[in-house]
Amino acid sequence: MTDAQGPKQPLAASAGAAPMVEPVPGAPPRNQWWSVWDQFKTHRGALLGLGFFVFALLFVYIGPLVWMIDPQFIDIRARNSGPTLAHPMGTDQLGRDTLARMMAGGQTSIAVGLTAMALALVLGTLIGLVAGYFRRLDGILMRMTDLFLAMPLLPLLLVIIMLFRDHLRITFGPEGGIFILIVFVIGVTSWMQTARVVRGDLLALKEREFVLAARSIGTPPHLMILRHILPNVMSPIMVSATLGIANAIITESALSFLGLGFPSDFPTWGRLLFDATDWLQQNPERVIWPGLAISLTVLSVNYIGDGLRDAMDPRIRGR
Amino acid sequence: MLTFTIRRLILAIPTLLFISFIIFLIVKLSPSDPTAGLPLTIPPEVRAQIRESLGVNDPLFVQYFKWLKLMVWDEPLHLFEGWTGWNAAPDDGARIISYQTRSPVTELIAQRMPQTLWVVGVSYIVGVLIALPIGIISAYRQYSWFDQIGTFISMLGFSVPTFFTGVLLIVIFAVNLGWFPSVYDTTHKVTDWDSFIVQLKQSIMPVMVLGLFNASQMSRFMRASMLDNLNQDYVRTARAKGLGERTVVLVHVLRNSLIPVVTVIALNVPAIFGGAIITEQVFKVNGIGQLLIIAIQSGDIPTVQTVSFIFAVLIVLFNLAADVLYGVLDPRIRYD
């Protein structure tokens, strides 16, 4: 209704006052991201997933401001306690508060997920763009991608971490070193899907008229990629970003669970789960919290990815 | 078809060479000293001699080819000799020796392979058997309550990591209910019905954890592939000429939809070996994955290299199998 009345109002105004008025467009052209959001809203799972992911972010980043117990504080008299008023999620074998440790662990887990995803995304997009745009590099870059896909990633990750852990610890400190190492190894071993998708899309885009038009007015390659091609391959990149977060969180927890991730005094959700398995007989509920946190976060991110994929697909959108 | 297979086989060799080089290089480039574990009382010049005898000072490529020859030629021959009793292996005594046990790595792996193959194999079969019917019914009754629940569970299945489902199953069935043992006893021998029941009980949890994880991925593929085919023209033709619904779905559509799924089944085999590393750790199965973890924790580099190389060979082999299988099943793929 409002849209249909839009163009009439300036006409009515111009009839009374000034005769010459610039033609005002009825409604400003809608940003495409609004229609993506409209479609996204209809996906119930994706909306729930987004809600939970925001909740998880608030829990781990705002939570410590509310729940002020130090995650490292050792209260040995309250060790191995179940849920009480003082410790809603109980305590571990040293009497450290599990709720505070869940918040601290979540910060690291989510930070690893986001940073490793960003690294993988940048690498994958770069390689995909270069391979798709410059034909001469295509063969060699795609062979490299295939080789990376054929590598036994989990054993290699474990080997790299085993070999380089101590040296990075000495250089960057116990926490920074292992963070850099884990983000780096997850990033450089999970860019391949993004690169393939970006290259595939780009090969199709290159044949389109607007690219030809841009080239005919002499657009240099770097502007061509940045202004014309990158915005058009944004949607597969964003979908693989969500999958990348899920993958990075799972990989990091798996590494921590195998005892090769973060140390126990600088916990992540995976490490908390690993530490809790030793106390399965006495304190079985301790494994539930970190496991639930990992699973729900990954589930929510996967649902966001599902919703995004549907919302970004113009063939489905608007139906 | 033969040329297609041979071409793929030849292409697989450089891939394997490259991966083996990377595995070799990562270990070589790492700032660790092979004599670090020896007693500190050894004088430096003797230490230098030990390094010399270990070949540390040789050029990188010489070291790599020596290692590669051991890995792909000598060790398989020794294994062959062990199985058949023929005198096939070279007698110069060069083997890949584990730092931990001082025995050849191939023997360690041969000891641990059966447990891994049993758990992984059974769980894979269980996974496929669960996934296929769920995928077929979900696609055939798209958006029904069965489909909704099925897709939700499969989403749950591949979001929840195996180390959590495994621990959760232990908490519920081993700690609280006491139905199944939480540790997989590999020394257990099946001799009669009772011991078979014990074997079944201890395998249920690891097999289900891995099997459900696989089933969740596979059922999504099956569903998507069925949906692609259900709207094709040939399905309408089949219905129009009066074929029964059962024949249309289970013969015409299913056979065509299985083509991509079969390749996915083949492609996922290496991933499940990776997943077995974690599952073996959870249920204390002393398989090849646990061997890798123990070797990594104690810095046993030869074992780590060999196990990683075996994983790489598995990946390349199953990729090859998937390619060839695709060519066999779908004549459009063969380009000969």
Side-chain angles (χ1 to χ4, degrees):
Chain A
M1 282 298 280
T2 46
D3 276 10
Q5 281 172 351
K8 281 182 191 163
Q9 273 163 349
L11 267 182
S14 64
M20 293 289 282
V21 179
E22 292 271 304
V24 181
R30 219 152 158 265
N31 191 330
Q32 64 153 341
W33 295 104
W34 280 112
S35 39
V36 168
W37 169 243
D38 279 347
Q39 179 66 32
F40 187 81
K41 273 193 303 193
T42 61
H43 194 300
R44 209 180 329 141
L47 218 53
L48 274 174
L50 188 65
F52 182 82
F53 192 63
V54 171
F55 168 74
L57 284 179
L58 290 179
F59 174 76
V60 302
Y61 288 107
I62 310 292
L65 304 178
V66 181
W67 188 254
M68 305 265 268
I69 294 183
D70 180 7
Q72 309 290 358
F73 178 71
I74 295 176
D75 180 8
I76 201 77
R77 271 171 300 180
R79 68 179 187 275
N80 285 331
S81 86
T84 56
L85 219 55
H87 305 286
M89 288 186 184
T91 55
D92 65 1
Q93 76 276 13
L94 295 174
R96 291 175 290 194
D97 181 55
T98 304
L99 181 57
R101 282 171 76 72
M102 283 290 293
M103 290 170 180
Q107 280 179 11
T108 326
S109 279
I110 290 181
V112 168
L114 292 176
T115 343
M117 174 273 288
L119 180 62
L121 218 56
V122 169
L123 263 178
T125 312
L126 199 71
I127 290 175
L129 283 177
V130 171
Y133 196 80
F134 302 103
R135 181 151 298 165
R136 227 174 307 151
L137 296 171
D138 187 23
I140 185 162
L141 282 178
M142 282 300 114
R143 289 294 80 71
M144 196 175 84
T145 313
D146 289 347
L147 281 176
F148 264 86
L149 279 172
M151 279 204 207
L153 289 181
L154 192 57
L156 271 190
L157 284 181
L158 295 171
V159 173
I160 296 174
I161 289 173
M162 158 188 111
L163 294 173
F164 294 92
R165 183 167 53 173
D166 296 336
H167 298 271
L168 277 167
R169 248 187 214 160
I170 295 165
T171 323
F172 296 101
E175 289 145 24
I178 200 89
F179 186 85
I180 292 172
L181 181 62
I182 285 189
V183 164
F184 177 76
V185 292
I186 294 177
V188 295
T189 51
S190 49
W191 52 267
M192 291 83 75
Q193 301 296 343
T194 319
R196 283 188 149 187
V197 172
V198 168
R199 170 183 170 270
D201 273 24
L202 208 152
L203 287 181
L205 273 177
K206 260 169 69 180
E207 307 302 320
R208 299 269 290 273
E209 287 83 356
F210 72 91
V211 175
L212 189 67
R215 184 174 298 144
S216 66
I217 57 171
T219 316
H222 68 278
L223 281 183
M224 191 78 162
I225 288 177
L226 282 180
R227 302 277 287 276
H228 298 278
I229 290 182
L230 201 54
N232 280 297
V233 290
M234 257 342 256
S235 58
I237 292 178
M238 285 189 65
V239 172
S240 58
T242 55
L243 298 181
I245 297 178
N247 171 46
I249 290 179
I250 291 234
T251 313
E252 182 276 312
S253 329
L255 291 176
S256 292
F257 184 79
L258 293 173
L260 281 157
F262 287 86
S264 180
D265 46 356
F266 183 57
T268 63
W269 285 337
R271 181 74 206 196
L272 289 174
L273 183 60
F274 175 60
D275 289 343
T277 50
D278 290 341
W279 302 83
L280 218 49
Q281 299 273 350
Q282 296 96 318
N283 216 348
E285 66 271 10
R286 247 180 81 189
V287 297
I288 307 289
W289 298 117
L292 214 58
I294 299 170
S295 312
L296 284 178
T297 310
V298 171
L299 187 67
S300 71
V301 172
N302 275 338
Y303 263 116
I304 295 174
D306 240 26
L308 264 184
R309 188 177 4 228
D310 287 357
M312 297 277 195
D313 192 342
R315 282 167 302 180
I316 299 178
R317 203 195 306 153
R319 254 202 275 154
Chain B
M1 197 55 224
L2 192 66
T3 34
F4 176 76
T5 313
I6 291 173
R7 196 183 298 154
R8 304 299 315 191
L9 204 63
I10 291 172
L11 271 177
I13 293 171
T15 315
L16 264 183
L17 279 179
F18 179 79
I19 293 172
S20 68
F21 188 62
I22 295 268
I23 292 172
F24 173 79
L25 212 61
I26 286 175
V27 175
K28 217 53 278 167
L29 285 181
S30 77
S32 62
D33 182 7
T35 64
L38 298 176
L40 287 171
T41 47
I42 295 176
E45 61 271 14
V46 179
R47 201 175 278 270
Q49 277 171 0
I50 294 174
R51 274 205 206 104
E52 183 70 39
S53 72
L54 287 171
V56 177
N57 299 332
D58 288 347
L60 198 62
F61 274 91
V62 174
Q63 289 188 42
Y64 170 62
F65 283 115
K66 275 184 173 169
W67 175 77
L68 194 69
K69 177 173 173 286
L70 271 183
M71 188 74 89
V72 300
W73 183 248
D74 291 1
E75 287 297 329
L77 281 181
H78 277 288
L79 207 59
F80 185 68
E81 189 177 299
W83 282 336
T84 58
W86 298 345
N87 192 13
D91 297 324
D92 56 357
R95 305 285 309 255
I96 298 177
I97 303 286
S98 157
Y99 288 172
Q100 276 175 297
T101 61
R102 299 279 151 202
S103 60
V105 176
T106 20
E107 282 173 19
L108 284 181
I109 292 172
Q111 285 165 7
R112 280 154 181 273
M113 212 49 171
Q115 294 88 295
T116 302
L117 283 182
W118 166 255
V119 173
V120 166
V122 174
S123 63
Y124 211 53
I125 294 168
V126 168
V128 171
L129 288 182
I130 296 175
L132 294 190
I134 291 183
I136 294 168
I137 301 174
S138 283
Y140 188 65
R141 306 209 176 283
Q142 200 187 1
Y143 303 130
S144 66
W145 61 268
F146 185 92
D147 182 29
Q148 306 272 359
I149 294 174
T151 41
F152 176 71
I153 288 179
S154 69
M155 192 65 140
L156 209 63
F158 77 81
S159 295
V160 181
T162 47
F163 50 86
F164 182 50
T165 35
V167 171
L168 205 62
L169 287 190
I170 289 181
V171 169
I172 297 172
F173 293 108
V175 176
N176 286 342
L177 295 174
W179 289 358
F180 309 121
S182 75
V183 174
Y184 185 94
D185 176 13
T186 40
T187 58
H188 179 74
K189 289 222 167 25
V190 179
T191 49
D192 52 0
W193 180 250
D194 286 338
S195 62
F196 176 71
I197 294 292
V198 173
Q199 172 71 13
L200 207 63
K201 269 187 165 180
Q202 68 174 357
S203 339
I204 278 184
M205 286 205 293
V207 163
M208 285 318 276
V209 165
L210 265 181
L212 287 178
F213 184 69
N214 280 297
S216 59
Q217 287 182 318
M218 223 94 78
S219 69
R220 277 169 75 91
F221 275 111
M222 189 68 223
R223 177 175 178 273
S225 166
M226 282 288 283
L227 282 178
D228 277 350
N229 274 290
L230 274 171
N231 293 326
Q232 300 268 327
D233 289 342
Y234 74 84
V235 180
R236 195 157 13 118
T237 312
R239 286 202 180 115
K241 68 181 184 185
L243 287 179
E245 195 62 20
R246 176 180 287 268
T247 325
V248 172
V249 175
L250 290 185
V251 178
H252 291 216
V253 179
L254 182 61
R255 284 173 112 181
N256 280 304
S257 327
L258 272 178
I259 294 172
V261 176
V262 166
T263 62
V264 168
I265 291 176
L267 282 178
N268 262 354
V269 171
I272 194 180
F273 272 95
I277 296 178
I278 293 166
T279 318
E280 284 178 1
Q281 199 68 10
V282 172
F283 292 101
K284 310 279 185 282
V285 185
N286 62 345
I288 194 168
Q290 209 207 16
L291 177 69
L292 179 71
I293 299 292
I294 293 175
I296 283 177
Q297 278 164 355
S298 52
D300 183 358
I301 286 170
T303 311
V304 172
Q305 277 177 325
T306 315
V307 175
S308 314
F309 188 68
I310 287 178
F311 275 103
V313 171
L314 278 176
I315 292 182
V316 172
L317 271 186
F318 279 101
N319 277 353
L320 191 73
D323 271 1
V324 172
L325 219 56
Y326 211 5
V328 170
L329 292 174
D330 193 343
R332 288 169 299 181
I333 302 295
R334 294 176 223 161
Y335 46 90
D336 48 8

